[in-house]
């Protein structure tokens, strides 16, 4: 009877269980792996043989067949090395079959038998807990990540020999304790502080509104006006990650292989791809779909500098994620969905030369060049952006002003208070910010005073705004009201929300 144990592969963000079966039969010495393995899995044969040799055990001198089931699921990567080696040793009698019961095995092997980390460990550990497995054996470097799952016993192995001794019950592996994502109120921020930015009071206000409601923001201004600095300061005023948000971000970064050694994402992600990035790198994809920049920015910020230098088809790929908060990647081998709930911050020049709105420089762009430049920004994409901001050039007097503005920490306190109000109001819907509300929820949950409704109606009719723009204005106004700690939206809140929609962008 063939030996049998469990491992997993990650497809998208979800772990899929794989049965590893090994059979030793009479015949010439051979080692084959079947079950739709890719090249990396096929190469596991050499790693497994060398690793077993370095443990002091003997690799069977007969025909060894390893099957990875189900056979119609593509097996990729290196997490199968450890379970393949253990399945072979179990079949040869070196390890009792009962020792592998109700345990998941994941890990890459070095030629010397050392255990190396693999990607997607958090997804595997979470699925193991959900499906009732009691323990998981992982490489030592993956233990901090797997230890984020409560109720699952995590054994950390340094090498194959230590795992064998553990299963033989001669020397137990250390148990990595469950760890919570600690309070990060006192963490050090790596972003520029708003206190160091002179002038730009309206831009600072727009950043505060965008942070409070999770809204998208597009800034336009001449070179040197501070657009990039403002964008890089934006994550510093966002609220701290909640435990669930940190786990979501950690899971995505784990699958992408971008986790830090401590195995957890503690600050809101800030992704800033170059304008030469392809749509696949932005959205995600590949033969085996991996998350792209917009998913890596989940619960954080996606900053697109030189916004209109991105190819138009790349910008258009943002439309579904901005609307739905997810991105679906379809390939021949299947379809996966990645979360993509981020705040988009874009920065662009007003024209190709950059000086159309600079009072001290003359623009050299022709009307045709201006029209062609602005044509890269489509109406449907504009509709999905909540706040449009003109960032003027900072005067010399403002630059030389010795008085500091409010710090990021002070602004973050107001943002956190506004977010708390939204969380409380939307808790039953499992939403956290105003930007996540659907049009139906806006109709039923947001109360606008009569004078505010009249002002909004007149603005929509006069400027021929779309239905999507209407609802986004209401959501921005609701955020402004939350910052003011008002229960209802007034005309004042609507008026401020309209300034970020109508000021030169209609």
């Amino acid at each position: 009877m063939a030996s049998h144990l469990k491992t997993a592969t990650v497809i998208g963000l979800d772990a899929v269980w794989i049965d590893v079966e090994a059979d030793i039969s009479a015949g010439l010495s051979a080692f084959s792996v079947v079950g739709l393995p890719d090249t990396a899995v096929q190469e596991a044969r050499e790693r497994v043989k060398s690793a077993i040799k370095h443990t002091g055990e003997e690799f069977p001198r007969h025909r060894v067949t390893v099957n990875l089931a189900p056979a119609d699921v593509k097996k990729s990567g290196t997490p199968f090395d450890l379970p393949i080696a253990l399945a072979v040793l179990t079949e040869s009698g070196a390890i009792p079959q009962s020792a592998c019961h109700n345990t998941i095995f994941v890990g890459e092997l070095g030629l010397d038998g050392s255990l190396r980390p693999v990607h997607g460990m958090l997804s595997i550990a979470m699925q193991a807990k959900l499906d009732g497995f009691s323990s998981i054996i992982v490489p030592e470097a993956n233990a901090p990540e797997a230890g984020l799952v409560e109720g699952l016993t995590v054994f950390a192995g340094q090498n194959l020999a230590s795992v064998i001794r553990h299963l033989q019950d001669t020397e137990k592996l250390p148990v990595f304790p469950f760890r919570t994502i600690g309070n990060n109120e006192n963490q050090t921020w790596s972003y520029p502080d708003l206190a160091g930015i002179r002038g730009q009071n309206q831009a600072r206000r727009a950043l505060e509104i965008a942070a409070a409601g999770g809204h998208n923001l597009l800034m336009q201004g001449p070179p040197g006006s501070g657009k990039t600095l403002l964008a890089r300061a934006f994550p510093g005023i966002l609220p701290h990650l909640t435990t669930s948000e940190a786990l979501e971000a950690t899971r995505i970064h784990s699958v992408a292989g971008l986790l830090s050694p401590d195995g957890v994402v503690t600050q809101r992600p800030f992704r800033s791809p170059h304008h030469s990035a392809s749509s696949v790198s932005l959205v995600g994809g590949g033969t085996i779909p991996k998350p792209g920049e917009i998913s890596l920015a989940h619960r954080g910020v996606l900053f697109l500098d030189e916004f209109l230098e991105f190819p138009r088809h790349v910008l258009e790929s943002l439309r579904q994620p901005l609307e739905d908060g997810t991105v679906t990647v379809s390939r021949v081998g299947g379809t996966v969905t990645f979360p993509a709930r981020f705040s988009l911050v874009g920065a662009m020049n007003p024209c190709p030369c950059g000086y159309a709105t600079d009072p001290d420089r003359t623009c050299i762009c022709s009307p045709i060049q201006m029209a062609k430049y602005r044509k890269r920004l489509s109406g449907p994409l504009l509709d999905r952006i909540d706040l449009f901001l003109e960032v003027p050039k900072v005067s010399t007097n403002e630059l030389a002003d010795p008085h500091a503005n409010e710090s990021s920490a002070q602004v973050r306190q107001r943002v956190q208070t506004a977010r708390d109000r939204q969380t409380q109001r939307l808790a039953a819907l499992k939403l956290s910010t105003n930007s996540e509300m659907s049009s139906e929820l806006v109709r039923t949950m947001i109360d606008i005073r009569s004078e505010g409704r009249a002002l909004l109606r007149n603005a929509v009719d006069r400027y021929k705004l779309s239905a999507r723009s209407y609802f986004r204005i209401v959501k921005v106004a609701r955020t402004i009201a939350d910052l003011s700690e008002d229960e209802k939206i007034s005309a004042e809140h609507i008026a401020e929300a309209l300034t970020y929609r109508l000021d030169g962008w209609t």
Side-chain angles (χ1 to χ4, degrees):
M1 181 178 179
S3 64
H4 174 276
L5 51 82
K6 284 276 189 181
T7 188
T9 187
V10 177
I11 299 178
L13 291 184
D14 299 320
V16 177
W17 299 127
I18 302 297
D19 293 319
V20 181
E21 303 169 325
D23 178 70
I24 300 175
S25 57
L28 295 175
S29 179
F31 187 12
S32 59
V33 178
V34 298
L36 210 59
D38 70 355
T39 302
V41 182
Q42 288 284 11
E43 291 174 347
R45 294 174 297 173
E46 303 306 320
R47 294 192 294 271
V48 166
K49 285 196 289 187
S50 177
I52 290 177
K53 181 186 72 174
H54 281 83
T55 66
E57 300 288 344
E58 185 176 353
F59 191 86
R61 298 185 179 183
H62 297 283
R63 181 173 183 82
V64 178
T65 303
V66 172
N67 179 43
L68 306 177
D72 60 345
V73 175
K74 182 72 173 178
K75 319 302 185 308
S76 62
T78 58
F80 306 101
D81 290 10
L82 176 61
I84 288 175
L86 296 176
V88 171
L89 292 172
T90 301
E91 179 65 7
S92 68
I95 296 173
Q97 176 70 58
S98 59
C100 302
H101 177 67
N102 209 27
T103 300
I104 302 298
F105 303 89
V106 183
E108 177 184 340
L109 289 173
L111 293 180
D112 60 353
S114 59
L115 276 175
R116 295 172 178 168
V118 298
H119 300 166
M121 184 57 70
L122 181 56
S123 292
I124 296 172
M126 292 174 71
Q127 193 65 45
K129 173 64 171 62
L130 187 64
D131 290 346
F133 289 94
S134 62
S135 61
I136 184 170
I137 295 180
V138 303
E140 191 174 43
N142 280 133
E145 185 182 344
L148 294 170
V149 179
E150 187 176 9
L152 183 68
T153 302
V154 178
F155 293 104
Q158 289 186 330
N159 50 54
L160 177 59
S162 64
V163 176
I164 294 172
R165 291 193 297 270
H166 172 84
L167 296 175
Q168 291 173 339
D169 204 20
T170 59
E171 182 182 334
K172 287 298 183 183
L173 290 171
V175 176
F176 193 91
F178 165 69
R179 64 180 188 135
T180 59
I181 298 176
N183 189 310
N184 53 9
E185 291 293 329
N186 298 319
Q187 66 178 307
T188 301
W189 295 90
S190 56
Y191 312 113
D193 197 296
L194 285 178
I197 300 177
R198 297 296 184 265
Q200 303 298 8
N201 290 330
Q202 186 181 17
R204 293 166 60 91
R205 173 63 173 172
L207 289 179
E208 183 176 339
I209 295 170
H215 301 294
N216 304 312
L217 169 69
L218 180 58
M219 297 181 286
Q220 173 184 280
S225 58
K227 303 184 297 296
T228 300
L229 180 60
L230 287 163
R232 294 191 179 279
F234 181 63
I237 65 173
L238 291 172
H240 295 286
L241 283 169
T242 65
T243 299
S244 61
E245 289 174 338
L247 285 174
E248 290 174 13
T250 299
R251 193 176 178 189
I252 296 168
H253 283 71
S254 172
V255 170
L258 298 176
L259 271 187
S260 59
D262 64 355
V264 63
V265 175
T266 57
Q267 289 192 6
R268 292 193 179 270
F270 180 83
R271 307 294 299 183
S272 180
H274 190 261
H275 58 74
S276 62
S278 66
S279 58
V280 173
S281 67
L282 205 65
V283 172
T287 306
I288 302 168
K290 298 291 184 182
E293 292 290 337
I294 61 176
S295 294
L296 292 170
H298 180 64
R299 299 299 180 186
V301 180
L302 177 67
F303 174 45
L304 301 184
D305 203 1
E306 305 297 343
F307 194 70
L308 292 190
E309 296 302 322
F310 284 82
R312 176 163 177 163
H313 73 277
V314 174
L315 293 178
E316 293 302 302
S317 67
L318 294 171
R319 284 162 58 175
Q320 181 211 352
L322 288 176
E323 191 73 16
D324 302 335
T326 60
V327 58
T328 301
V329 179
S330 298
R331 295 293 182 267
V332 174
T335 300
V336 298
T337 299
F338 296 110
R341 183 69 67 184
F342 58 89
S343 291
L344 172 67
V345 178
M348 56 176 278
N349 294 326
C351 63
C353 78
Y355 298 109
T357 59
D358 191 326
D360 302 322
R361 302 285 293 270
T362 302
C363 176
I364 61 173
C365 301
S366 67
I368 294 178
Q369 287 176 314
M370 291 279 287
K372 185 176 179 181
Y373 182 72
R374 295 301 290 258
K375 192 177 179 181
R376 299 179 193 176
L377 193 57
S378 69
L381 181 57
L382 277 172
D383 261 358
R384 288 166 168 82
I385 296 174
D386 304 300
L387 300 118
F388 299 91
L389 181 66
E390 189 70 38
V391 182
K393 185 176 180 179
V394 181
S395 68
T396 305
N397 288 336
E398 288 175 317
L399 287 175
D401 186 357
H403 300 95
N405 288 311
E406 277 188 307
S407 68
S408 293
Q410 292 173 298
V411 177
R412 187 166 62 247
Q413 288 178 354
R414 292 197 299 271
V415 169
Q416 183 66 67
T417 301
R419 284 275 184 115
D420 290 342
R421 293 172 63 88
Q422 295 167 54
T423 300
Q424 183 178 5
R425 184 169 59 244
L426 302 170
L429 303 169
K430 297 183 179 180
L431 303 178
S432 56
T433 61
N434 291 326
S435 65
E436 298 174 36
M437 299 176 68
S438 66
S439 57
E440 184 59 32
L441 290 176
V442 171
R443 290 193 192 95
T444 58
M445 295 188 65
I446 294 183
D447 193 1
I448 307 176
R449 291 187 172 93
S450 57
E451 67 275 13
R453 289 189 180 277
L455 176 60
L456 180 58
R457 188 181 302 111
N458 291 337
V460 171
D461 291 341
R462 178 178 179 181
Y463 294 99
K464 310 301 180 186
L465 299 178
S466 68
R468 183 180 285 114
S469 294
Y470 169 87
F471 287 113
R472 289 190 177 273
I473 290 169
V474 174
K475 287 189 280 189
V476 171
R478 178 63 265 176
T479 299
I480 295 171
D482 286 328
L483 286 167
S484 302
E485 300 186 8
D486 290 328
E487 292 299 327
K488 292 185 179 181
I489 297 176
S490 66
E492 179 185 356
H493 305 136
I494 292 291
E496 184 175 2
L498 285 169
T499 62
Y500 297 112
R501 171 65 62 172
L502 306 179
D503 190 12
W505 295 84
T506 53

